[in-house]
Amino acid sequence: METGTSTSNSGSSSRNDSYEAIKNGSWFNQFRNGCNPWMARYAYGLIFLIANLLAWAARDYGQRALTEVTKFKNCKGGENCLGTEGVLRVSLGCFLFYFVMFLSTLGTSKTHSSRDKWHSGWWSAKLIMWPALTIIPFLLPSTIIRLYGEIAHFGAGVFLLIQLISVISFITWLNECYQSKKDAERCHVHVMLLATTSYTVCIVGLILMYIWYAPDSSCLLNIFFITWTLFLLQLMTSIALHPKVNAGYLTPALMGLYIVFICWCAIRSEPVGESCNRKSAESNRTDWLTIISFVVALLAMVIATFSTGIDSQCFQFKKDANSQGEEVEEREDDVPYGYGFFHFVFATGAMYFAMLLIGWNTHHPMKKWTIDVGWTSTWVRIVNEWLAVCVYIWMLVAPIILKSRRQRTTET
């Protein structure tokens, strides 16, 4: 018995050592060592990128590529399967693939388990399952696709909320990282430089938006968007520097960068031809700059989905503790990231890329080489900006409110 136990322990130890070597190795080493969770996440990211490209091709070039689709009885007249509906069909196939993976890997906590092997391996089966789930939506009636399009609005909103919390958590982590440095004086200089640079970029960005997108007093909506963003920047800074909060000036500066960027994206999403959007009017024709901007936006969306998917720790509001109240250290055989959360983010990301490619409007035709254009897209961005500020302010004031409530409960 002892010999068997020692053999089992030594085998488990060697597997853990092997996983540790892969984890700490180079990016190339993770691929060279075959099926492992670090290699798998890049493979899933590649699948997601291919799905994005298929959806774009279905929208911009589907009229030629999907001419033969008319032979399917469920595809009325052929044109219903093109453009917007083509994007939704590809998106549905991608969503089904990642949702199946989400259900089958949810709750995985240990490496070398059966669900860990399914997540990290079995690629031959997945290379059959993924194309099959991509083809199935093209056989479904248009009513189901339109219903999915309505549900996708909600799923894309969930994705934006998850991404928002991930960004704010990263900013908070970065601030805590700087505050915990041993060399406090040198760290203080770095914080000052980073915060000053961020605020400078924010102010310069707002001024440029006034020049580009509010050339005269008739552009009231753009003036409101930009001015309100400036007000929100001042509000976040004031609350963060309040003596009771004392969150410093780095986090509001970085959050300022984030909301200024969202505001810029929102105004850029306004339909081409608006008199107040001169930059969009200049890019009305399709040129190399338009194509490069589209490719960069597409890659940025895929990267954002990937980075959010592996950031499951931002939703762990408290760590496990032992009987003495001490934090339990991470074990060697624990999974490196939440597999279920990873696939859930990609599933909602499939809905999100569909909304970007159709402008959040299932009845709105999109021009070639455009992404996230239309008044619906503009207001989604603006609401996302306002929600980001609300979540950030709540994260600042929530500890104070909860503390005061506890004190009142103790006194009573």
Side-chain angles (χ1 to χ4, degrees), residues 190-201 249-251 253-254:
H190 291 165
V191 170
M192 284 288 292
L193 287 174
L194 184 56
T196 304
T197 303
S198 299
Y199 277 118
T200 303
V201 173
Y249 34 78
L250 180 59
T251 55
L254 295 177

Side-chain angles (χ1 to χ4, degrees), residues 66-104:
L66 297 179
T67 304
E68 299 299 324
V69 173
T70 53
K71 65 184 179 181
F72 294 120
K73 294 181 180 180
N74 293 323
C75 196
K76 300 176 182 179
E79 291 189 2
N80 290 331
C81 291
L82 309 179
T84 297
E85 200 165 316
V87 172
L88 292 175
R89 290 176 188 272
V90 175
S91 171
L92 177 57
C94 184
F95 167 79
L96 290 174
F97 173 76
Y98 285 106
F99 193 70
V100 169
M101 293 303 303
F102 161 70
L103 293 177
S104 58

Side-chain angles (χ1 to χ4, degrees), residues 129-144:
M129 181 177 73
W130 171 48
L133 292 175
T134 303
I135 294 171
I136 288 174
F138 284 91
L139 307 178
L140 299 177
S142 298
T143 52
I144 294 179

Side-chain angles (χ1 to χ4, degrees), residues 182-221:
K182 294 181 180 179
D183 192 353
E185 186 175 347
R186 184 179 178 183
C187 180
H188 183 71
V189 174
H190 291 165
V191 170
M192 284 288 292
L193 287 174
L194 184 56
T196 304
T197 303
S198 299
Y199 277 118
T200 303
V201 173
C202 287
I203 299 302
V204 171
L206 291 170
I207 292 173
L208 290 176
M209 281 193 287
Y210 274 119
I211 296 172
W212 289 340
Y213 305 117
D216 52 63
S217 57
S218 62
C219 304
L220 295 178
L221 187 60

Side-chain angles (χ1 to χ4, degrees), residues 217-237:
S217 57
S218 62
C219 304
L220 295 178
L221 187 60
N222 286 354
I223 292 174
F224 167 71
F225 287 158
I226 302 168
T227 306
W228 188 252
T229 300
L230 177 61
F231 168 75
L232 293 177
L233 175 61
Q234 294 174 331
L235 179 64
M236 289 190 299
T237 304

Side-chain angles (χ1 to χ4, degrees), residues 407-412:
Q407 289 177 349
R408 290 176 186 175
T409 304
T410 305
E411 290 174 359
T412 56

